[in-house]
Amino acid sequence: DAGVIQSPRHEVTEMGQEVTLRCKPISGHNSLFWYRQTMMRGLELLIYFNNNVPIDDSGMPEDRFSAKMPNASFSTLKIQPSEPRDSAVYFCASSSPRDYEQYFGPGTRLTVT
Amino acid sequence: AQSVTQLDSQVPVFEEAPVELRCNYSSSVSVYLFWYVQYPNQGLQLLLKYLSGSTLVKGINGFEAEFNKSQTSFHLRKPSVHISDTAEYFCALILAQKLVFGQGTRLTINP
């Protein structure tokens, strides 16, 4: 299996622009998680899905952030409009119904100038 | 509230020396505990996990951890480190499917 796939790996954008991050979970996994990592706040869970349904979005910082999972093999995290404080590494992870282990993607490093 | 505390933000050791990375947790219910490793510019990779059973858990790359319920600890150990172990290490517990991470410990290996 190719593992969790994220794109793009790096994104540089200007403040006010829309940013879309993409994730393809491991085939057969039914749970998908979006995390954000910063020096100041460490690793934070933003939102997670079970069977394509959002279960807990309490970590989404504000209305500028939205996430979708239209099918079992694809999810997006959108920031509109982006701000410099959104600069971080965003990770996607997935897990199977038989295991508590979460498998992480390589991350997307977002820089908002 | 459930939480994880990693007591050391940085741990420098010499190559081939033993290392212990400390982790304490707070939970009012039974816990499942994890150690993840993050190499530079990469995602997180599972080192080991404790779900139940033996309190001594062996993981990949020669690492092991011991679950100690009375001390609410889950310290990570390796008897002899290598340069390739340079990375950030995260302790975590799982709460209703959500991983709650500690702040991480940066392990640096000096030759």
Side-chain angles (χ1 to χ4, degrees):
Chain A
D1 200 316
V4 175
I5 298 172
Q6 292 186 248
S7 65
R9 292 294 310 276
H10 303 273
E11 177 80 40
V12 180
T13 191
E14 291 184 349
M15 182 174 63
Q17 296 298 305
E18 178 180 296
V19 175
T20 299
L21 310 182
R22 297 172 176 80
C23 175
K24 176 179 170 54
I26 292 172
S27 176
H29 284 189
N30 71 329
S31 297
L32 184 139
F33 307 81
W34 282 101
Y35 292 88
R36 179 172 66 176
Q37 185 179 36
T38 61
M39 289 293 292
M40 291 297 294
R41 301 175 66 90
L43 276 158
E44 304 173 279
L45 177 67
L46 300 177
I47 185 172
Y48 79 94
F49 296 83
N50 279 352
N51 298 315
N52 313 335
V53 177
I55 302 300
D56 186 340
D57 65 355
S58 59
M60 296 286 262
E62 48 199 273
D63 292 345
R64 297 184 297 107
F65 285 69
S66 63
K68 293 182 179 180
M69 192 164 186
N71 57 61
S73 59
F74 184 66
S75 177
T76 59
L77 178 68
K78 186 177 294 187
I79 308 172
Q80 166 63 19
S82 57
E83 296 182 3
R85 60 191 168 124
D86 302 330
S87 297
V89 181
Y90 291 81
F91 289 103
C92 176
S94 68
S95 68
S96 77
R98 298 175 301 278
D99 194 354
Y100 289 102
E101 179 178 351
Q102 294 182 18
Y103 294 78
F104 283 74
T108 295
R109 182 174 296 276
L110 174 65
T111 303
V112 183
T113 61
Chain B
Q2 279 76 5
S3 66
V4 175
T5 302
Q6 291 183 245
L7 299 166
D8 306 297
S9 60
Q10 294 188 62
V11 173
V13 296
F14 288 105
E15 194 173 14
E16 298 184 7
V19 69
E20 178 180 84
L21 305 184
R22 297 182 292 170
C23 172
N24 285 89
Y25 68 91
S26 172
S27 176
S28 57
V29 298
S30 297
V31 291
Y32 299 147
L33 292 160
F34 304 79
W35 274 99
Y36 279 84
V37 60
Q38 184 179 26
Y39 298 106
N41 300 314
Q42 295 187 26
L44 280 73
Q45 179 183 1
L46 183 71
L47 273 179
L48 49 80
K49 60 187 175 186
Y50 172 77
L51 303 182
S52 64
S54 173
T55 57
L56 183 63
V57 181
K58 294 190 182 298
I60 62 171
N61 301 339
F63 284 93
E64 64 180 32
E66 185 159 18
F67 172 66
N68 188 319
K69 188 174 181 179
S70 62
Q71 297 187 7
T72 62
S73 68
F74 191 54
H75 300 333
L76 181 70
R77 301 185 183 98
K78 186 170 182 178
S80 176
V81 296
H82 302 282
I83 291 286
S84 59
D85 293 321
T86 297
E88 186 123 19
Y89 292 79
F90 293 93
C91 183
L93 59 79
I94 200 156
L95 175 65
Q97 274 196 290
K98 299 191 290 186
L99 278 172
V100 176
F101 286 96
Q103 286 296 84
T105 298
R106 184 171 300 277
L107 177 63
T108 55
I109 313 297
N110 299 309

